[in-house]
Amino acid sequence: MSHWIELDKRYFMDTGHRRLGVTLVRGEGARAWDDAGKEYLDFIAGWAACSLGHCHPIIQEALREQSKRLILASLDVYTIPQIELAELLISSSGLAKIFFCNSGAEANEGAVKLARKYGKLHLNGAYEVISALKSFHGRTLAMVAATGKPEYQAPFTPLPEGFRNVPYNDIAALRAAVGERTCAILLEPIQGEGGVNVPPETYLKEVRALCDERGLLLILDEVQTGCGRTGTLWAYEGFGIRPDIMTVGKGLGGGVPIAAFLANEQAACFGPGDHGSTYGGNPLCAAVAGAVLRFIMKEDLPGNAVRVGSYFRERLLGLQEEWDIVKEVRGRGLLLAMEFTKPIALAMAKACCERGLLLNPIPPQTIRFMPPLIISPQDVDRAVMILDAAIRQIK
């Protein structure tokens, strides 16, 4: 055990196991190096946050230039990077208003808070939000209640009221759950931590129609799927709908902490004093996010997600044909998953890590792939070669 791992175990609360057992000290593009100098191909990418890979020159330049000008200012004043980023996000999403925060959980909290005020103003005080089983919306107490995973909820009961969880991709269950207290439906366009569950093309259209029929707000959590990961700038574009409220984060900052929630004109009902954030949309992170988003759009990284993601999927399907232990390959763009017939996800991730590939296991049986949007077919070939060797070893 290295010195750094010993210190980590001594000082940190045991909130999550660092399951791969490596200490990273440097990164460049899709690669990272540990404290012993070993190189890894990183297909976790900060849980999809490092959209441009590690330490991209665009991010370095934005950090360097903005840190010489202004790092933080209160919301009592205007700052230019925040306004420029807001304009970029609003013009690219078709929504009308925005609020910046620091993490996806905060963005989802803000979206639910906004929906509750909307319910008070327009839906006779309705406050309930319906979300999906196997979803993930964050680790705050309210977002644990929104997240449809009983194992996450049980240690923290009683949970905040006002949330109902129904099966994902089940429009009948969703329709049955809507009642007089319902103000909004909160969904991931594609479930990430739940196992990269992609709904059929009709599902989100049916949800949109249900919301329109009942006068409810549709909130889409695009914290993981947004910023080009699924092959369109926003995943909802690939399903032919538009939400009333959208949350974004992770890949927006390319590795620096920034998130936001956006709303259409009708849903954007906050007034002065209704919400706030000390660090939300600070000039430093806003400048980086603006540079990241402009690069994603200029270099057509959503297109790269389609091209390389399709190639990656084909290679993974080839492994499925070769190995009967591979049950399913699924996903869209560069958000993919491989499910096994046996509970070997963690063993697979560790075996790949030993060979220089960092992967995210979703125990017991699924591996999730979230590589940077800049990866190449050659990176995919190397990853598949390592996966094949790890399957051969474990099988």
Side-chain angles (χ1 to χ4, degrees):
M1 185 182 300
S2 77
H3 170 68
W4 297 113
I5 294 175
E6 288 179 359
L7 290 178
D8 181 279
K9 293 183 178 297
R10 183 186 306 172
Y11 295 129
F12 283 87
M13 293 186 188
D14 190 18
T15 58
H17 303 294
R18 305 189 195 273
R19 295 171 294 186
L20 299 185
V22 299
T23 302
L24 297 185
V25 297
R26 183 169 69 88
E28 181 179 341
R31 285 162 173 73
W33 289 262
D34 67 15
D35 55 342
K38 181 177 177 178
E39 179 184 317
Y40 301 86
L41 186 59
D42 187 359
F43 272 36
I44 303 175
W47 286 322
C50 298
S51 49
L52 308 189
H54 294 287
C55 303
H56 195 282
I58 288 289
I59 296 174
Q60 294 182 47
E61 178 66 16
L63 283 169
R64 182 165 51 248
E65 290 303 312
Q66 188 60 42
S67 66
K68 293 188 293 187
R69 296 191 182 108
L70 184 66
I71 292 176
L72 179 64
S74 78
L75 292 181
D76 288 323
V77 301
Y78 302 101
T79 58
I80 294 171
Q82 185 183 80
I83 296 169
E84 290 179 336
L85 178 59
E87 182 179 37
L88 193 59
L89 283 164
I90 287 169
S91 64
S92 67
S93 69
L95 296 171
K97 300 289 183 180
I98 193 167
F99 184 92
F100 288 109
C101 46
N102 308 285
S103 69
E106 285 181 61
N108 287 326
E109 284 265 355
V112 167
K113 191 174 170 182
L114 185 62
R116 283 197 171 189
K117 182 168 185 187
Y118 182 88
K120 282 190 178 295
L121 293 175
H122 303 290
L123 298 172
N124 299 315
Y127 62 90
E128 191 172 82
V129 174
I130 302 173
S131 58
L133 292 169
K134 297 185 179 180
S135 63
F136 183 78
H137 300 293
R139 298 282 190 176
T140 64
L141 199 56
M143 288 305 103
V144 167
T147 290
K149 294 192 175 183
E151 65 272 26
Y152 286 6
Q153 298 171 345
F156 306 109
T157 54
L159 296 170
E161 64 173 332
F163 296 94
R164 297 187 68 183
N165 306 136
V166 301
Y168 189 67
N169 189 27
D170 187 336
I171 192 66
L174 193 56
R175 182 175 288 275
V178 171
E180 292 182 355
R181 296 181 299 181
T182 309
C183 67
I185 295 171
L186 168 63
L187 296 171
E188 299 160 273
I190 297 171
Q191 288 188 325
E193 189 176 297
V196 189
N197 302 313
V198 184
E201 296 296 326
T202 57
Y203 176 62
L204 289 177
K205 289 181 179 178
E206 291 173 324
V207 177
R208 175 73 270 177
L210 174 60
C211 288
D212 292 341
E213 173 191 325
R214 300 296 296 269
L216 310 177
L217 297 179
L218 174 57
I219 306 170
L220 289 186
D221 177 349
E222 292 243 23
V223 170
Q224 185 168 139
T225 58
C227 300
R229 179 150 297 277
T230 65
T232 51
L233 191 59
W234 313 112
Y236 72 76
E237 296 176 283
F239 293 96
I241 64 161
R242 181 175 291 163
D244 301 297
I245 303 173
M246 177 175 72
T247 61
V248 298
K250 289 191 183 294
L252 176 63
V256 305
I258 188 169
F261 56 97
L262 299 90
N264 61 28
E265 200 73 54
Q266 184 179 15
C269 56
F270 275 162
D274 280 347
H275 207 52
S277 174
T278 297
Y279 293 104
N282 67 76
L284 186 66
C285 291
V288 172
V292 168
L293 193 54
R294 283 189 289 269
F295 186 87
I296 288 172
M297 296 166 71
K298 179 183 176 183
E299 299 299 322
D300 188 25
L301 293 193
N304 193 60
V306 171
R307 292 184 295 272
V308 181
S310 297
Y311 178 66
F312 192 10
R313 183 185 178 92
E314 288 174 7
R315 295 298 314 273
L316 293 176
L317 288 170
L319 291 180
Q320 183 181 4
E321 290 181 6
E322 181 178 356
W323 299 106
D324 59 10
I325 201 170
V326 180
K327 178 181 179 181
E328 185 181 9
V329 172
R330 57 181 179 264
R332 181 173 290 193
L334 287 172
L335 180 59
L336 298 169
M338 174 178 279
E339 184 176 347
F340 300 95
T341 59
K342 297 180 180 180
I344 61 168
L346 183 56
M348 275 293 301
K350 288 182 175 180
C352 288
C353 182
E354 291 172 1
R355 291 168 168 79
L357 174 64
L358 301 180
L359 297 177
N360 173 232
I362 305 176
Q365 295 180 202
T366 303
I367 292 285
R368 176 171 47 163
F369 305 96
M370 304 167 283
L373 303 182
I374 49 91
I375 64 159
S376 66
Q378 291 74 29
D379 295 326
V380 167
D381 288 339
R382 180 183 170 192
V384 171
M385 179 183 68
I386 293 172
L387 274 165
D388 183 60
I391 294 172
R392 189 180 305 275
Q393 171 193 328
I394 290 173
K395 185 172 172 64

